[in-house]
Amino acid sequence: MKLDHDLRFKILEKVGIYSARFSISEPQILLTTKEVLAMPKAVTEGRRTSAYKYLGVSYIQDNVVFVNVRKIQDEKMLENTIVHELIHMRFPYMSHGRRFNKMVRRGLAGWTFKPYSKRR
């Protein structure tokens, strides 16, 4: 996809909607590799120069999400990537797998999640 003002606005709007559904604070969104490289090295450490390889990357500790618009081909892939990265933010303890994919599908289906709290 080609990044323009309208697409940037649409992405930020979707992030706002899904962040509210997932009961997380709205993360800072990066849409180009230039924006990733412009961030402080401490924030993007580990996936700084390799971020361009992925559809999206979550920098959970700093509440930053990179959505690689250049690799995304259509609207459905864009929405899946946004939800995928925000699920990482909402469930920081969960790695990729069957449960994680189930949460992504639920997020896409319109589910809402209570705020994260540690178990007692």
Side-chain angles (χ1 to χ4, degrees), residues 22-119:
F22 300 161
S23 302
I24 58 173
S25 62
E26 199 169 318
Q28 179 181 354
I29 302 297
L30 309 175
L31 299 174
T32 64
T33 52
K34 265 187 186 176
E35 292 175 3
V36 173
L37 294 173
M39 293 293 290
K41 287 184 180 180
V43 173
T44 59
E45 191 175 6
R47 287 178 310 245
R48 181 177 179 78
T49 57
S50 64
Y52 73 92
K53 295 178 183 180
Y54 305 105
L55 293 176
V57 177
S58 295
Y59 302 101
I60 296 170
Q61 293 82 5
D62 297 292
N63 201 30
V64 176
V65 170
F66 169 55
V67 177
N68 193 354
V69 177
R70 295 182 89 195
K71 286 191 82 99
I72 294 176
Q73 298 162 356
D74 57 15
E75 291 285 327
K76 185 176 180 183
M77 187 183 256
L78 175 64
E79 193 144 356
N80 286 341
T81 303
I82 291 170
V83 170
H84 178 102
E85 298 308 327
L86 293 179
I87 290 291
H88 277 302
M89 304 297 268
R90 171 58 183 81
F91 300 100
Y93 52 85
M94 196 180 297
S95 58
H96 293 131
R98 190 177 297 157
R99 279 186 64 215
F100 182 83
N101 291 336
K102 183 177 179 181
M103 291 301 170
V104 171
R105 284 193 307 275
R106 286 179 175 178
L108 288 167
W111 282 45
T112 58
F113 299 100
K114 294 180 182 174
Y116 173 73
S117 62
K118 289 189 175 186
R119 289 185 179 172

